[in-house]
Amino acid sequence: MSKRILLKGGQVVGGPRVPADVLIENDIIAAIGPSIDAADAEIIDVAGMLVAPGFVDTHRHIWQTSIRGVAADWSLVEYIRFIRLGYATAYRPEDVWISTYAGALEALDAGITTICDFCHIMRTPEHADAGIEGLDRSGIRGQFYYGFYDVPSEPRSFLDHDARVRHARQFFDARFRARPASALVTMGVALTEFNLIPVAHTADEIAVARDFDIPLTMHMGTLSTPDSVARLAQAGLLGPRMLHVHCNASSDDELKAIADSGGALSITPETELQMGMGIPVTNRALAVGLRPTLGIDIVSDYSGDMFAQMRIALQTARAMDNQKVLDAGRMPPEIDLKVADVYDFATIDGARAIGLDTQVGSLAVGKQADIITVRQDGIHHAPRTADPLASLVLQVRPSDIDSVFVAGQARKRDGRLVGVDVAAVRERAQASSDHLAAAFAEAMQRTGQTATRATYGSELARATKGDVS
Ligand SMILES: [Zn+2]
């Protein structure tokens, strides 16, 4: 017996300008149109609401949920010292599990139905297990990228790079091969930053992805390695199913090389602007035919909602375009980058970047039922924006999201997560946070440093610089 849900009378974003129904049958969208007759379906009245595909977050380190907000005033250099070489060294498997579970729930609550988890907190094999288990438990769709980055903590589980690669292969043998075809979370590989290891090691990491026929992702083109895309190409390692993250310092030729190689781009506007990584490459990427996609990156800095990233990406790109005209002494007569562009970055372009565009990223019959419904009855919608797309990108707040479905399963209804004891999750996340904060404070004291300008981690870490975020 199939399970049918009828979302009745909403405004389908990207659909006709009149109210329409969306019929969900099991995990797929069975019909979209006016006045669908489905007497046996559970009927959900969404009159006055927007009905849209869930967002696709193409870059997040979900493990940082437990250290929410600590990076509020940090540059990339401070971020590397305090988190990558600091807090990370104190993470236990249970911290990874609750961070991942709570972070994925936070994403669902904010209308993100697909997430790419760049999990580079693999201190031990148990850390890897905790990451995938937390993600699975949440009910979100996603890609779990096993991170090779060697967290500099003691005792060491992986004595050298070969040991790390061996574990990755064991992990994929045990965890990836055993996954049912219906699993919502698939797997990939997250490379160590290009400047931290020899090219031969990068090749070994890429070989794991190629051998298991899974995608890979990596941080690329920030100031310390502006030419990392070119170097990857020179080594014969640039190829398809590679999700390149940031690329602020990459040249236009390198961006084109990514497009030509069948690779994809994820930008994270808020970290890039704050931390001194450079201007998001939106305009330059579009000019060479490379569609940007959007990542939240880290809630250790700011909130995990896609609306903020859409708006920051959009207005930064517009500002860059406008400034060129202003510098010529003229007023910009019009604006090139549209709301629809950035909406696509957050939905269908994101889905395409990770090979899921035939399944998610837009509402169409036969696609997976990854759907959000969005209220427009708050005072901030008085009066309602006429253009549904303009409303969704520029007016809506995460708290307006009424319901979230992933593969036809309700993960949020009537503004509340379904089947989640939020108080218990909060309690566990707080305990994890308390542990990590205490470890951080202890290290500060031990090394005689002050809280915000410390070099915690430097005593634990090998010398490092660069392309890490
Ligand atoms: Zn990142």
Side-chain angles (χ1 to χ4, degrees):
M1 176 94 184
S2 64
K3 184 182 176 212
R4 309 214 303 169
I5 299 169
L6 187 67
L7 305 176
K8 190 140 196 68
Q11 173 63 60
V12 178
V13 174
R17 284 296 183 98
V18 293
D21 302 344
V22 176
L23 180 63
I24 301 170
E25 190 164 309
N26 296 324
D27 60 337
I28 66 162
I29 298 169
I32 302 174
S35 303
I36 294 172
D37 185 16
D40 58 335
E42 175 192 353
I43 294 176
I44 300 175
D45 180 6
V46 294
M49 295 192 205
L50 301 171
V51 181
F55 296 114
V56 179
D57 176 355
T58 55
H59 185 72
R60 193 184 306 202
H61 308 290
I62 310 184
W63 62 267
Q64 294 185 19
T65 306
S66 280
I67 49 172
R68 186 182 299 282
V70 299
D73 291 325
W74 288 348
S75 68
L76 183 59
V77 172
E78 290 169 301
Y79 167 87
I80 292 166
R81 280 181 183 162
F82 302 150
I83 295 182
R84 293 287 299 273
L85 307 176
Y87 281 108
T89 66
Y91 264 71
R92 306 160 299 179
E94 59 259 47
D95 300 312
V96 176
W97 188 91
I98 189 60
S99 281
T100 307
Y101 179 54
L105 293 176
E106 172 186 9
L108 286 168
D109 188 56
I112 293 165
T113 50
T114 299
I115 198 162
C116 295
D117 179 15
F118 192 121
C119 190
H120 55 353
I121 186 64
M122 308 305 199
R123 292 182 55 203
T124 70
E126 290 72 31
H127 286 68
D129 294 337
I132 187 66
E133 286 166 12
L135 211 53
D136 277 339
R137 171 73 179 275
S138 72
I140 202 166
R141 187 187 302 278
Q143 294 185 330
F144 176 80
Y145 291 94
Y146 177 104
F148 281 96
Y149 170 68
D150 192 25
V151 180
S153 59
E154 301 293 344
R156 307 190 75 74
S157 279
F158 307 107
L159 296 179
D160 57 24
H161 193 262
D162 283 349
R164 169 74 64 173
V165 171
R166 274 198 303 280
H167 174 258
R169 290 183 177 277
Q170 288 164 4
F171 177 82
F172 289 120
D173 265 330
R175 291 268 178 177
F176 174 67
R177 296 214 191 279
R179 288 184 87 67
S182 59
L184 290 175
V185 179
T186 58
M187 292 190 180
V189 160
L191 304 186
T192 308
E193 281 83 0
F194 206 63
N195 60 329
L196 297 180
I197 56 174
V199 174
H201 287 181
T202 299
D204 289 343
E205 295 179 3
I206 292 174
V208 174
R210 300 306 187 205
D211 289 349
F212 284 89
D213 193 24
I214 52 181
L216 55 93
T217 187
M218 56 274 167
H219 297 121
M220 296 291 274
T222 59
L223 199 57
S224 65
T225 54
D227 58 348
S228 50
V229 175
R231 286 164 57 197
L232 204 61
Q234 281 160 14
L237 297 171
L238 191 65
R241 301 184 81 190
M242 288 184 156
L243 179 58
H244 301 255
V245 182
H246 304 314
C247 296
N248 308 77
S250 300
S251 68
D252 293 352
D253 285 346
E254 287 180 297
L255 295 175
K256 185 163 189 319
I258 292 172
D260 292 346
S261 67
L265 170 68
S266 174
I267 63 171
T268 66
E270 202 159 358
T271 38
E272 292 171 11
L273 288 169
Q274 171 182 325
M275 293 192 168
M277 296 160 76
I279 301 295
V281 294
T282 310
N283 296 326
R284 293 198 295 120
L286 288 171
V288 297
L290 183 63
R291 299 287 296 179
T293 69
L294 298 177
I296 303 291
D297 206 358
I298 45 173
V299 301
S300 54
D301 196 345
Y302 46 78
S303 78
D305 79 88
M306 191 57 88
F307 304 105
Q309 298 315 311
M310 286 195 292
R311 294 209 298 270
I312 293 171
L314 179 67
Q315 309 300 20
T316 304
R318 287 172 165 176
M320 296 298 291
D321 270 346
N322 290 340
Q323 193 63 43
K324 285 184 203 158
V325 182
L326 293 169
D327 287 347
R330 291 179 287 119
M331 293 281 285
E334 58 187 20
I335 291 171
D336 287 338
L337 194 67
K338 305 301 186 193
V339 160
D341 290 308
V342 77
Y343 175 72
D344 284 349
F345 299 169
T347 53
I348 190 64
D349 290 329
R352 192 173 294 112
I354 57 172
L356 292 182
D357 51 308
T358 60
Q359 298 180 52
V360 301
S362 62
L363 299 187
V365 173
K367 284 188 120 174
Q368 287 282 297
D370 287 16
I371 300 171
I372 64 174
T373 67
V374 184
R375 304 186 74 88
Q376 295 183 102
D377 55 2
I379 187 64
H380 55 290
H381 291 292
R384 195 171 295 165
T385 307
D387 177 359
L389 209 49
S391 182
L392 193 58
V393 174
L394 295 177
Q395 301 290 338
V396 162
R397 303 169 182 175
S399 56
D400 295 330
I401 296 175
D402 184 79
S403 296
V404 176
F405 299 87
V406 180
Q409 284 281 328
R411 296 297 173 191
K412 185 179 186 182
R413 283 293 309 276
D414 301 324
R416 292 178 184 277
L417 290 168
V418 174
V420 176
D421 183 344
V422 174
V425 173
R426 283 176 53 88
E427 192 175 320
R428 203 162 160 183
Q430 189 62 52
S432 169
S433 176
D434 291 347
H435 157 74
L436 294 165
F440 186 74
E442 189 276 328
M444 289 284 141
Q445 195 171 33
R446 175 159 38 85
T447 54
Q449 299 174 78
T450 55
T452 59
R453 295 285 162 188
T455 54
Y456 171 52
S458 59
E459 61 165 3
L460 302 169
R462 297 153 303 167
T464 186
K465 62 187 174 81
D467 224 4
V468 285
S469 54

